[in-house]
């Protein structure tokens, strides 16, 4: 079923995330410029789901784009889905260096402009050292996110499913849960949320993907 | 003393409204599936109807050799009715009856093909029948003479039987099959639609997701085509791995 795209869809999602961050963690601001001590004022937004294949990458990319338009700081889209098999043909996504190098070596390399969209939008691949076990090490995750906070107002992490996020869940400021309405049942989503122990201060909201055709109001719909 | 009602008075009306909404949702969202099942059922019914055995074809096949046999006996100098079982040379009445039956059969065949010849305006049926029989007999004699003169033509002759008319039972069967397919398709479509719509515990609307997960729904994305997805970003921003 193909439905015309709502052009304001991601705008509303981005506004909801910004509202949540402002309410619980303070508004995101561009970190201090060179020469000053890093302020670590950047915020990290995690885009995850209860199961793999629910549309996290699509939502994360759209969210990063609108967030770059809705606030004044730089935004980086980061591929943190270490558990997902890598598509080797995509050279920029694979990257010679990326988040895994930041987590292990502490050096911010492999950063590139997004190419299209706002000038403040950047992208960062997962790097060649990306291993699933790396996300389970809190010190490595903290080091990586600290570098992102120091460089960007907002970092949108395209994360693996909730069960595979590891230490990312505890370190991120906000989490956006993507739910595929065709595949994911209430029970699965509720169990994943309960296991992740995400409180309301860190769960920014839910994005319902592949929504069935809504019933119009004149037929008694929502 | 009257007992108090177990349910509030408004409950049945609310339940009816809810049921109506569910029905509308099923019909609206799954209209494509229901239509597809209906089409499949109709196509199956049509295929079944076209594959029905035509019993009249075998009758027509049997008619051809019988008439040809009659023609062959004319060519050999004998009367066509002599080949009919039970019609011996010593039985004149039987021969006349057989000839009459043969002519009636051929006349009936002709009348079937040309219903306008049945009764002439202003004439009685018996007079018309006799004159038609004489005309037909004359034509048959001409044909026999022609076939006697040119024997090779006999093989290329094709005798067409009367048009097939289904019997009452066959007609009922055809109508039954004709209605059964679409009806079965419609019912199976409705069942599948209801199963898809009501089965499982999927979250189909933002309200359901909000209620189930206790978190605000930031947005609901419909199923988008590749083109629409690319239009979200202005360019394909990378592989869709999740």
């Amino acid at each position: 079923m193909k439905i015309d795209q709502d052009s304001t869809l991601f705008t509303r999602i981005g506004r909801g995330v910004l509202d949540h961050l402002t309410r619980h963690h303070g508004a995101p601001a561009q970190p201090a410029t060179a020469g000053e001590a890093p302020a670590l004022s950047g915020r990290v937004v995690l885009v995850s789901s209860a199961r793999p294949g629910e549309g996290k990458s699509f939502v994360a990319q759209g969210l990063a784009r609108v967030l770059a338009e809705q606030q004044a700081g730089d935004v980086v889209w980061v591929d943190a889905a270490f558990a997902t098999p890598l598509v080797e043909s995509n050279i920029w996504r694979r990257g010679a260096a990326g988040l895994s190098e930041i987590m292990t070596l502490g050096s911010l390399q492999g950063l590139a402009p997004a190419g299209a969209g706002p000038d403040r939008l950047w992208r960062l691949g997962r790097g060649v050292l990306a291993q699933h076990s790396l996300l389970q090490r809190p010190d490595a995750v903290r080091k990586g996110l600290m570098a992102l906070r120091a460089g960007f107002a907002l970092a949108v992490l395209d994360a693996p499913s909730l069960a595979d996020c590891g230490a990312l869940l505890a370190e991120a400021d906000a989490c956006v849960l993507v739910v595929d309405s065709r595949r994911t049942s209430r029970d699965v989503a509720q169990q994943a949320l309960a296991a992740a122990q995400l409180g309301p201060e860190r769960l920014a909201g839910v994005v319902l993907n592949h929504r069935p055709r809504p019933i119009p109001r004149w037929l008694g719909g929502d | 003393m009257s007992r108090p009602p177990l349910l509030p008075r408004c409950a049945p009306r609310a339940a009816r409204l809810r049921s109506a909404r569910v029905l509308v949702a099923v019909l609206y969202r799954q209209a494509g599936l229901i239509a597809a099942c209906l089409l499949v059922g109709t196509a199956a019914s049509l295929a079944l109807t076209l594959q029905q055995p035509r019993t009249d074809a075998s009758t027509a096949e049997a008619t051809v050799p019988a008439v040809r046999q009659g023609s062959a006996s004319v060519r050999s100098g004998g009367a066509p009715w002599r080949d009919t079982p039970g019609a011996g040379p010593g039985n004149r009445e039987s021969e006349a009856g057989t000839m009459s039956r043969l002519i009636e059969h051929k006349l009936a065949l002709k009348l079937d093909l040309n219903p306008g010849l049945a009764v002439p305006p202003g004439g009685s049926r018996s007079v018309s029948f006799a004159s038609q029989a004489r005309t037909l007999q004359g034509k048959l004699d001409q044909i026999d003479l022609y076939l006697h003169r040119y024997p090779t033509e006999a093989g290329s002759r094709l005798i067409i039987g009367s048009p097939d008319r289904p019997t009452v039972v066959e007609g009922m069967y055809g109508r039954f099959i004709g209605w059964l397919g679409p009806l079965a398709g419609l019912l199976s479509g409705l069942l599948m639609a209801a199963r898809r719509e009501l089965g499982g515990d999927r979250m189909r609307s933002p309200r359901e997701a909000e209620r189930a997960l206790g978190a605000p729904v930031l947005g609901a994305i419909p199923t988008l085509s590749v083109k629409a997805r690319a239009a979200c970003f202005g360019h394909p921003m990378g592989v869709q791995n999740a």
Side-chain angles (χ1 to χ4, degrees), chain B:
Chain B
M1 189 174 122
S2 63
R3 294 175 60 187
L6 294 175
L7 287 172
R9 187 164 290 178
C10 60
R13 189 164 182 271
R16 277 201 302 274
L17 276 176
R18 199 171 59 243
S19 305
R21 278 191 62 180
V22 168
L23 184 66
V24 165
V26 169
L27 292 178
Y28 183 79
R29 283 187 185 141
Q30 311 293 339
L33 176 69
I34 296 171
C37 288
L38 186 62
L39 275 179
V40 168
T42 308
S45 161
L46 200 61
L48 269 178
T49 309
L50 291 179
Q51 282 183 352
Q52 268 187 64
R54 311 273 303 189
T55 53
D56 294 331
S58 60
T59 312
E61 290 286 333
T63 309
V64 175
V67 178
R68 278 186 187 157
Q69 194 181 3
S71 299
S73 56
V74 167
R75 281 200 304 275
S76 63
W81 57 89
R82 282 189 181 166
D83 295 331
T84 310
N91 191 354
R92 283 282 178 192
E93 289 180 3
S94 173
E95 286 177 3
T98 309
M99 179 181 177
S100 163
R101 279 199 301 276
L102 182 60
I103 291 173
E104 281 176 10
H105 171 73
K106 290 185 182 301
L107 184 59
L109 186 74
K110 187 176 176 66
L111 288 176
D112 269 350
L113 291 174
N114 302 291
L117 297 175
V119 179
S124 68
R125 187 176 181 92
S126 59
V127 172
S128 166
F129 188 85
S131 65
Q132 291 292 329
R134 277 196 300 277
T135 309
L136 181 61
Q137 183 59 48
K139 285 184 179 176
L140 284 174
D141 291 344
Q142 286 179 2
I143 291 171
D144 286 339
L145 281 172
Y146 179 79
L147 291 177
H148 186 67
R149 178 82 174 77
Y150 304 103
T152 53
E153 289 282 320
S156 63
R157 294 280 159 172
L158 176 65
I159 299 174
I160 302 172
S162 57
D164 299 337
R165 288 201 178 91
T167 62
V168 176
V169 175
E170 285 171 350
M172 284 176 64
Y173 177 74
R175 278 196 296 274
F176 176 69
I177 291 291
W179 280 103
L180 183 67
L183 197 63
L186 182 65
L187 282 179
S188 60
L190 283 174
L191 278 177
M192 286 169 66
R195 188 175 173 277
R196 278 178 69 171
E197 193 70 24
L198 305 175
D201 59 344
R202 307 279 187 272
M203 292 167 280
R204 294 177 181 82
S205 69
R207 190 184 292 177
E208 283 182 24
E210 201 161 337
R211 241 179 254 155
L213 303 178
V217 174
L218 302 172
I221 305 172
T223 303
L224 299 173
S225 63
V226 176
K227 196 176 168 184
R229 287 167 75 98
C232 285
F233 310 122
H235 77 113
M237 196 175 161
V239 290
Q240 307 297 320
N241 71 331

Side-chain angles (χ1 to χ4, degrees), chain A residues 169-194:
Chain A
L169 280 175
E171 296 295 330
D173 297 311
C175 178
V176 174
L177 186 71
V178 181
V179 174
D180 188 342
S181 68
R182 298 178 307 184
R183 300 176 50 199
T184 308
S185 63
R186 285 191 187 96
D187 285 346
V188 170
Q190 285 169 348
Q191 284 169 10
L193 270 181

Side-chain angles (χ1 to χ4, degrees), chain A residues 10-98:
Chain A
F10 278 108
T11 308
R12 280 182 273 130
I13 296 173
R15 200 171 294 134
V17 171
L18 281 179
D19 285 347
H20 174 86
L21 285 173
T22 307
R23 207 165 45 244
H24 291 95
H25 306 279
Q30 184 67 24
T33 54
E36 300 173 14
L40 298 181
S41 59
R43 302 282 177 255
V44 176
V45 180
L46 201 68
V47 179
S48 185
S49 63
R51 297 167 57 182
E54 298 202 55
K56 294 183 294 289
S57 296
F58 177 66
V59 173
Q61 290 169 15
L63 182 60
R65 185 182 170 89
V66 295
L67 285 177
E69 292 168 349
Q70 287 176 345
Q71 47 84 50
D74 287 348
V75 176
V76 62
W77 175 86
V78 185
D79 176 14
F82 291 178
T84 310
L86 192 60
V87 180
E88 294 295 335
S89 60
N90 196 323
I91 184 70
W92 78 260
R93 176 147 192 161
R94 184 181 62 210

